[in-house]
Amino acid sequence: MWLFVLFDLPMDDRKARREYVRFRKRLLEMGFCQLQYSVYARPFPSEEAMHPYRQEIRANLPPKGAVRLLPVTDRQFGKMENYVGKILQENEKAPRQLMLF
């Protein structure tokens, strides 16, 4: 599963810009990668593993602006078409998982 975080935050004053930077930095610390400006995603092995991250994002929501959390299956993510200009690019791959016993 993938969790997408899509957001549109105001940046009209210094305080709002600080909130934007704080939110974006927290997403990066949580292992999300930037797909586009204000669109971040992270793979998870299951929906249950995603749950604490969704709670963490909710706890760190900025006071203003719009934030959307969108869970997507690997299959749905794989059907996404990614173009740079008119050239079709390969989608990001979920990292290989190392299992320790």
Side-chain angles (χ1 to χ4, degrees), residues 39-56:
V39 178
Y40 290 73
R42 177 170 185 218
F44 290 91
S46 67
E47 197 162 353
E48 293 80 23
M50 182 188 302
H51 184 70
Y53 287 81
R54 292 175 80 161
Q55 287 181 314
E56 177 75 16

PDB file of all heavy atoms in Angstrom, residues 39-56:
ATOM      1  N   VAL A  39       2.884  17.074  -3.099  1.00  0.00           N
ATOM      2  CA  VAL A  39       2.376  15.699  -3.196  1.00  0.00           C
ATOM      3  C   VAL A  39       3.495  14.766  -2.738  1.00  0.00           C
ATOM      4  O   VAL A  39       4.551  14.702  -3.353  1.00  0.00           O
ATOM      5  CB  VAL A  39       1.946  15.331  -4.632  1.00  0.00           C
ATOM      6  CG1 VAL A  39       1.476  13.879  -4.701  1.00  0.00           C
ATOM      7  CG2 VAL A  39       0.858  16.275  -5.121  1.00  0.00           C
ATOM      8  N   TYR A  40       3.239  14.063  -1.647  1.00  0.00           N
ATOM      9  CA  TYR A  40       4.233  13.167  -1.057  1.00  0.00           C
ATOM     10  C   TYR A  40       3.629  11.773  -0.943  1.00  0.00           C
ATOM     11  O   TYR A  40       2.413  11.631  -0.797  1.00  0.00           O
ATOM     12  CB  TYR A  40       4.660  13.684   0.324  1.00  0.00           C
ATOM     13  CG  TYR A  40       5.487  14.933   0.229  1.00  0.00           C
ATOM     14  CD1 TYR A  40       4.913  16.160  -0.099  1.00  0.00           C
ATOM     15  CD2 TYR A  40       6.854  14.894   0.452  1.00  0.00           C
ATOM     16  CE1 TYR A  40       5.676  17.300  -0.213  1.00  0.00           C
ATOM     17  CE2 TYR A  40       7.618  16.041   0.352  1.00  0.00           C
ATOM     18  CZ  TYR A  40       7.028  17.236   0.013  1.00  0.00           C
ATOM     19  OH  TYR A  40       7.800  18.357  -0.101  1.00  0.00           O
ATOM     20  N   ALA A  41       4.477  10.749  -0.994  1.00  0.00           N
ATOM     21  CA  ALA A  41       3.988   9.372  -0.894  1.00  0.00           C
ATOM     22  C   ALA A  41       4.999   8.513  -0.154  1.00  0.00           C
ATOM     23  O   ALA A  41       6.206   8.812  -0.134  1.00  0.00           O
ATOM     24  CB  ALA A  41       3.730   8.794  -2.280  1.00  0.00           C
ATOM     25  N   ARG A  42       4.481   7.442   0.424  1.00  0.00           N
ATOM     26  CA  ARG A  42       5.340   6.479   1.125  1.00  0.00           C
ATOM     27  C   ARG A  42       4.710   5.096   1.024  1.00  0.00           C
ATOM     28  O   ARG A  42       3.501   4.960   1.207  1.00  0.00           O
ATOM     29  CB  ARG A  42       5.476   6.861   2.589  1.00  0.00           C
ATOM     30  CG  ARG A  42       6.304   5.834   3.324  1.00  0.00           C
ATOM     31  CD  ARG A  42       6.687   6.225   4.687  1.00  0.00           C
ATOM     32  NE  ARG A  42       7.565   5.147   5.126  1.00  0.00           N
ATOM     33  CZ  ARG A  42       7.590   4.655   6.322  1.00  0.00           C
ATOM     34  NH1 ARG A  42       6.841   5.159   7.260  1.00  0.00           N
ATOM     35  NH2 ARG A  42       8.402   3.673   6.617  1.00  0.00           N
ATOM     36  N   PRO A  43       5.516   4.066   0.738  1.00  0.00           N
ATOM     37  CA  PRO A  43       4.976   2.707   0.707  1.00  0.00           C
ATOM     38  C   PRO A  43       4.885   2.109   2.108  1.00  0.00           C
ATOM     39  O   PRO A  43       5.671   2.444   2.988  1.00  0.00           O
ATOM     40  CB  PRO A  43       6.007   1.949  -0.139  1.00  0.00           C
ATOM     41  CG  PRO A  43       7.281   2.684   0.076  1.00  0.00           C
ATOM     42  CD  PRO A  43       6.908   4.121   0.293  1.00  0.00           C
ATOM     43  N   PHE A  44       3.908   1.225   2.287  1.00  0.00           N
ATOM     44  CA  PHE A  44       3.716   0.508   3.546  1.00  0.00           C
ATOM     45  C   PHE A  44       3.410  -0.952   3.220  1.00  0.00           C
ATOM     46  O   PHE A  44       2.780  -1.240   2.201  1.00  0.00           O
ATOM     47  CB  PHE A  44       2.550   1.105   4.340  1.00  0.00           C
ATOM     48  CG  PHE A  44       2.831   2.456   4.894  1.00  0.00           C
ATOM     49  CD1 PHE A  44       2.516   3.591   4.174  1.00  0.00           C
ATOM     50  CD2 PHE A  44       3.435   2.608   6.132  1.00  0.00           C
ATOM     51  CE1 PHE A  44       2.778   4.848   4.675  1.00  0.00           C
ATOM     52  CE2 PHE A  44       3.698   3.856   6.647  1.00  0.00           C
ATOM     53  CZ  PHE A  44       3.382   4.983   5.916  1.00  0.00           C
ATOM     54  N   PRO A  45       3.803  -1.866   4.095  1.00  0.00           N
ATOM     55  CA  PRO A  45       3.518  -3.280   3.833  1.00  0.00           C
ATOM     56  C   PRO A  45       2.033  -3.628   3.986  1.00  0.00           C
ATOM     57  O   PRO A  45       1.566  -4.596   3.406  1.00  0.00           O
ATOM     58  CB  PRO A  45       4.364  -4.021   4.866  1.00  0.00           C
ATOM     59  CG  PRO A  45       4.665  -3.025   5.928  1.00  0.00           C
ATOM     60  CD  PRO A  45       4.635  -1.674   5.277  1.00  0.00           C
ATOM     61  N   SER A  46       1.292  -2.833   4.762  1.00  0.00           N
ATOM     62  CA  SER A  46      -0.127  -3.115   4.970  1.00  0.00           C
ATOM     63  C   SER A  46      -0.835  -1.849   5.441  1.00  0.00           C
ATOM     64  O   SER A  46      -0.198  -0.868   5.831  1.00  0.00           O
ATOM     65  CB  SER A  46      -0.312  -4.207   6.025  1.00  0.00           C
ATOM     66  OG  SER A  46       0.105  -3.715   7.291  1.00  0.00           O
ATOM     67  N   GLU A  47      -2.155  -1.919   5.436  1.00  0.00           N
ATOM     68  CA  GLU A  47      -2.935  -0.784   5.930  1.00  0.00           C
ATOM     69  C   GLU A  47      -2.753  -0.597   7.434  1.00  0.00           C
ATOM     70  O   GLU A  47      -2.755   0.520   7.940  1.00  0.00           O
ATOM     71  CB  GLU A  47      -4.408  -0.975   5.588  1.00  0.00           C
ATOM     72  CG  GLU A  47      -5.193   0.305   5.696  1.00  0.00           C
ATOM     73  CD  GLU A  47      -6.513   0.259   4.958  1.00  0.00           C
ATOM     74  OE1 GLU A  47      -6.776  -0.710   4.242  1.00  0.00           O
ATOM     75  OE2 GLU A  47      -7.274   1.218   5.126  1.00  0.00           O
ATOM     76  N   GLU A  48      -2.555  -1.699   8.145  1.00  0.00           N
ATOM     77  CA  GLU A  48      -2.325  -1.624   9.586  1.00  0.00           C
ATOM     78  C   GLU A  48      -1.016  -0.892   9.898  1.00  0.00           C
ATOM     79  O   GLU A  48      -0.940  -0.124  10.860  1.00  0.00           O
ATOM     80  CB  GLU A  48      -2.297  -3.024  10.210  1.00  0.00           C
ATOM     81  CG  GLU A  48      -3.616  -3.744  10.181  1.00  0.00           C
ATOM     82  CD  GLU A  48      -3.932  -4.379   8.823  1.00  0.00           C
ATOM     83  OE1 GLU A  48      -2.979  -4.649   8.039  1.00  0.00           O
ATOM     84  OE2 GLU A  48      -5.108  -4.580   8.525  1.00  0.00           O
ATOM     85  N   ALA A  49       0.012  -1.134   9.097  1.00  0.00           N
ATOM     86  CA  ALA A  49       1.295  -0.455   9.306  1.00  0.00           C
ATOM     87  C   ALA A  49       1.195   1.033   9.000  1.00  0.00           C
ATOM     88  O   ALA A  49       1.956   1.846   9.524  1.00  0.00           O
ATOM     89  CB  ALA A  49       2.372  -1.104   8.434  1.00  0.00           C
ATOM     90  N   MET A  50       0.245   1.395   8.158  1.00  0.00           N
ATOM     91  CA  MET A  50       0.044   2.793   7.765  1.00  0.00           C
ATOM     92  C   MET A  50      -0.650   3.594   8.866  1.00  0.00           C
ATOM     93  O   MET A  50      -0.448   4.811   8.982  1.00  0.00           O
ATOM     94  CB  MET A  50      -0.805   2.798   6.486  1.00  0.00           C
ATOM     95  CG  MET A  50      -1.076   4.124   5.888  1.00  0.00           C
ATOM     96  SD  MET A  50      -2.269   4.008   4.515  1.00  0.00           S
ATOM     97  CE  MET A  50      -1.462   2.881   3.413  1.00  0.00           C
ATOM     98  N   HIS A  51      -1.444   2.932   9.686  1.00  0.00           N
ATOM     99  CA  HIS A  51      -2.295   3.607  10.675  1.00  0.00           C
ATOM    100  C   HIS A  51      -1.544   4.573  11.596  1.00  0.00           C
ATOM    101  O   HIS A  51      -1.975   5.729  11.753  1.00  0.00           O
ATOM    102  CB  HIS A  51      -3.072   2.569  11.481  1.00  0.00           C
ATOM    103  CG  HIS A  51      -4.032   3.171  12.442  1.00  0.00           C
ATOM    104  ND1 HIS A  51      -5.180   3.828  12.050  1.00  0.00           N
ATOM    105  CD2 HIS A  51      -3.999   3.243  13.801  1.00  0.00           C
ATOM    106  CE1 HIS A  51      -5.809   4.270  13.113  1.00  0.00           C
ATOM    107  NE2 HIS A  51      -5.127   3.924  14.189  1.00  0.00           N
ATOM    108  N   PRO A  52      -0.410   4.181  12.227  1.00  0.00           N
ATOM    109  CA  PRO A  52       0.269   5.144  13.109  1.00  0.00           C
ATOM    110  C   PRO A  52       0.793   6.377  12.364  1.00  0.00           C
ATOM    111  O   PRO A  52       0.835   7.472  12.931  1.00  0.00           O
ATOM    112  CB  PRO A  52       1.432   4.355  13.705  1.00  0.00           C
ATOM    113  CG  PRO A  52       1.306   2.964  13.247  1.00  0.00           C
ATOM    114  CD  PRO A  52       0.205   2.875  12.259  1.00  0.00           C
ATOM    115  N   TYR A  53       1.142   6.222  11.112  1.00  0.00           N
ATOM    116  CA  TYR A  53       1.627   7.363  10.328  1.00  0.00           C
ATOM    117  C   TYR A  53       0.484   8.323  10.023  1.00  0.00           C
ATOM    118  O   TYR A  53       0.671   9.545  10.048  1.00  0.00           O
ATOM    119  CB  TYR A  53       2.292   6.882   9.034  1.00  0.00           C
ATOM    120  CG  TYR A  53       3.631   6.245   9.291  1.00  0.00           C
ATOM    121  CD1 TYR A  53       3.740   4.928   9.713  1.00  0.00           C
ATOM    122  CD2 TYR A  53       4.793   6.973   9.131  1.00  0.00           C
ATOM    123  CE1 TYR A  53       4.969   4.347   9.965  1.00  0.00           C
ATOM    124  CE2 TYR A  53       6.037   6.409   9.374  1.00  0.00           C
ATOM    125  CZ  TYR A  53       6.111   5.094   9.794  1.00  0.00           C
ATOM    126  OH  TYR A  53       7.330   4.534  10.044  1.00  0.00           O
ATOM    127  N   ARG A  54      -0.690   7.780   9.751  1.00  0.00           N
ATOM    128  CA  ARG A  54      -1.851   8.642   9.534  1.00  0.00           C
ATOM    129  C   ARG A  54      -2.172   9.427  10.801  1.00  0.00           C
ATOM    130  O   ARG A  54      -2.482  10.616  10.743  1.00  0.00           O
ATOM    131  CB  ARG A  54      -3.055   7.806   9.106  1.00  0.00           C
ATOM    132  CG  ARG A  54      -2.883   7.203   7.715  1.00  0.00           C
ATOM    133  CD  ARG A  54      -4.005   6.296   7.347  1.00  0.00           C
ATOM    134  NE  ARG A  54      -5.140   7.104   6.889  1.00  0.00           N
ATOM    135  CZ  ARG A  54      -6.132   6.612   6.172  1.00  0.00           C
ATOM    136  NH1 ARG A  54      -6.161   5.351   5.855  1.00  0.00           N
ATOM    137  NH2 ARG A  54      -7.106   7.398   5.792  1.00  0.00           N
ATOM    138  N   GLN A  55      -2.077   8.756  11.946  1.00  0.00           N
ATOM    139  CA  GLN A  55      -2.309   9.446  13.221  1.00  0.00           C
ATOM    140  C   GLN A  55      -1.267  10.546  13.445  1.00  0.00           C
ATOM    141  O   GLN A  55      -1.602  11.640  13.910  1.00  0.00           O
ATOM    142  CB  GLN A  55      -2.276   8.460  14.379  1.00  0.00           C
ATOM    143  CG  GLN A  55      -3.487   7.565  14.456  1.00  0.00           C
ATOM    144  CD  GLN A  55      -3.414   6.627  15.638  1.00  0.00           C
ATOM    145  OE1 GLN A  55      -2.388   6.011  15.896  1.00  0.00           O
ATOM    146  NE2 GLN A  55      -4.518   6.521  16.364  1.00  0.00           N
ATOM    147  N   GLU A  56      -0.004  10.255  13.135  1.00  0.00           N
ATOM    148  CA  GLU A  56       1.081  11.242  13.296  1.00  0.00           C
ATOM    149  C   GLU A  56       0.836  12.462  12.410  1.00  0.00           C
ATOM    150  O   GLU A  56       1.038  13.599  12.830  1.00  0.00           O
ATOM    151  CB  GLU A  56       2.421  10.582  12.957  1.00  0.00           C
ATOM    152  CG  GLU A  56       3.604  11.509  13.003  1.00  0.00           C
ATOM    153  CD  GLU A  56       4.055  11.867  14.409  1.00  0.00           C
ATOM    154  OE1 GLU A  56       3.657  11.171  15.361  1.00  0.00           O
ATOM    155  OE2 GLU A  56       4.808  12.848  14.540  1.00  0.00           O
TER     156      GLU A  56
END
